[in-house]
Amino acid sequence: MVNGRRTNRVSGLRAFFSVIWRNPLSRTGFLILLSFLLMAIFGPMFIPELKSDYANRLQPPSAAHWLGTDLAGKDTLLQLILGSREVLLVAAYAGFFAVLIAAVIGIVAGLQGGIVDRILMLITDVVLTMPSFPVTMILSMVIRITEPLVFGLVLGLWSWAGLAKAIRSQVLNLKHREFIEASRILGLSKFNIIIYDVLPNLVSYIAVNFISIMKGAITSSVGLMILGLVPFQGNHWGVMIQVAISQTGALMGSASMVYFLAPVVCLMLFQLGSYFFASGLDEALNPRLRA
């Protein structure tokens, strides 16, 4: 039985990557995201702590510094690599918290119905009616942000409502299907029905939205840092952009233009990679779409 499950999982993974690889857009997006992921995981392992070198501040790209240096003489490329881990961690935490809240509220509201459904959807509608970025700005000023986990939580707290309503609609479509009725007749608990019947049918939908929420979280995190609302230390790309604009005059055509453009180009590439990858993710995770 264990060997059978292992074989099925291996076959499922092969089928997943096969579908992703056949789709040119998804393949391109997968390679872009994989590059960022490898850079975030392994890059910081090989880079020592960066030290200021004011004798070489704001240097243009050269053989010694491929992307030049910043205001303190630190290598821009190395800062970019170090910052990728913080950027992806914040986005992943935000996506995790948003998906978790949305899944719990959407599934409970859809399955339970009645007064529970009405109360949960009322809360969801209230969250939906309030613009997320201004609320996130206020939250970032109220909550003391000291690490990526807290930053991700702040970003995820107001990003779940749209997904919760969509998941509720999916659950309402599923709850009267034969296989769920059969589980009820067999006396399975709601917890088992959610785990074995409902969640497997929502995985592809949740995965696509997880990527979308990560994209939004990265944009929001950079925006908050540019506005100076997050006292975040480190090499986050938002910090690089904020320093380039406020302290080096990058937008005025100074020598720090490369220092400004490097994180901006990386952000654009990540957004593009996420969009491409998501274009084939639903098909890869949902066998019915491959027929």
Side-chain angles (χ1 to χ4, degrees):
M1 178 68 78
V2 174
N3 290 334
R5 288 180 179 173
R6 188 175 302 162
T7 303
N8 288 337
R9 286 173 186 166
V10 172
S11 301
L13 280 174
R14 283 180 180 166
F16 172 82
F17 286 108
S18 174
V19 173
I20 291 293
W21 201 254
R22 281 202 306 267
N23 186 323
L25 282 182
S26 293
R27 183 169 63 232
T28 305
F30 173 73
L31 291 175
I32 292 174
L33 295 184
L34 181 64
S35 302
F36 279 110
L37 189 62
L38 293 176
M39 183 169 76
I41 293 175
F42 297 108
M45 295 180 184
F46 302 99
I47 298 176
E49 183 180 355
L50 296 181
K51 295 181 180 177
S52 300
D53 180 11
Y54 290 100
N56 289 309
R57 60 200 300 264
L58 296 179
Q59 291 293 312
S62 64
H65 304 286
W66 291 4
L67 294 179
T69 61
D70 72 348
L71 195 66
K74 297 178 182 176
D75 188 277
T76 301
L77 177 60
L78 298 184
Q79 285 188 68
L80 205 64
I81 295 172
L82 289 173
S84 63
R85 178 177 289 185
E86 294 171 2
V87 172
L88 293 191
L89 268 179
V90 170
Y93 284 136
F96 170 76
F97 286 122
V99 164
L100 180 66
I101 298 171
V104 170
I105 290 183
I107 291 173
V108 170
L111 281 182
Q112 194 67 26
I115 185 68
V116 174
D117 181 26
R118 289 197 290 275
I119 292 174
L120 291 177
M121 286 303 102
L122 176 63
I123 297 171
T124 305
D125 289 336
V126 170
V127 174
L128 272 178
T129 54
M130 301 178 71
S132 62
F133 192 69
V135 174
T136 307
M137 287 171 60
I138 295 171
L139 288 175
S140 66
M141 290 186 286
V142 173
I143 300 174
R144 187 167 176 266
I145 297 174
T146 56
E147 56 184 43
L149 178 64
V150 180
F151 199 5
L153 177 62
V154 168
L155 294 173
L157 278 177
W158 224 258
S159 306
W160 54 268
L163 179 58
K165 287 187 79 75
I167 289 177
R168 172 182 174 270
S169 300
Q170 297 284 326
V171 172
L172 289 176
N173 285 330
L174 289 171
K175 68 186 293 185
H176 297 300
R177 297 277 181 89
E178 292 82 359
F179 59 94
I180 290 185
E181 293 291 346
S183 296
R184 286 199 181 109
I185 293 172
L186 290 171
L188 296 182
S189 65
K190 282 189 176 178
F191 179 77
N192 282 327
I193 291 175
I194 290 172
I195 297 297
Y196 297 110
D197 293 334
V198 176
L199 277 180
N201 286 281
L202 297 176
V203 167
S204 62
Y205 194 76
I206 289 175
V208 172
N209 280 277
F210 178 78
I211 299 290
S212 177
I213 292 171
M214 275 189 68
K215 284 170 48 188
I218 288 178
T219 306
S220 298
S221 66
V222 171
L224 290 172
M225 287 187 171
I226 292 175
L227 292 173
L229 297 175
V230 178
F232 200 75
Q233 303 297 320
N235 298 285
H236 193 286
W237 296 344
V239 174
M240 295 176 67
I241 296 174
Q242 203 273 346
V243 170
I245 294 175
S246 65
Q247 299 183 33
T248 69
L251 297 183
M252 305 300 290
S254 70
S256 63
M257 181 58 76
V258 176
Y259 180 66
F260 168 74
L261 287 177
V264 171
V265 170
C266 281
L267 286 169
M268 293 171 62
L269 269 177
F270 187 87
Q271 301 279 330
L272 197 64
S274 300
Y275 173 74
F276 286 167
F277 182 62
S279 68
L281 191 57
D282 193 33
E283 181 186 359
L285 290 171
N286 193 342
R288 287 175 300 180
L289 297 178
R290 301 177 208 161

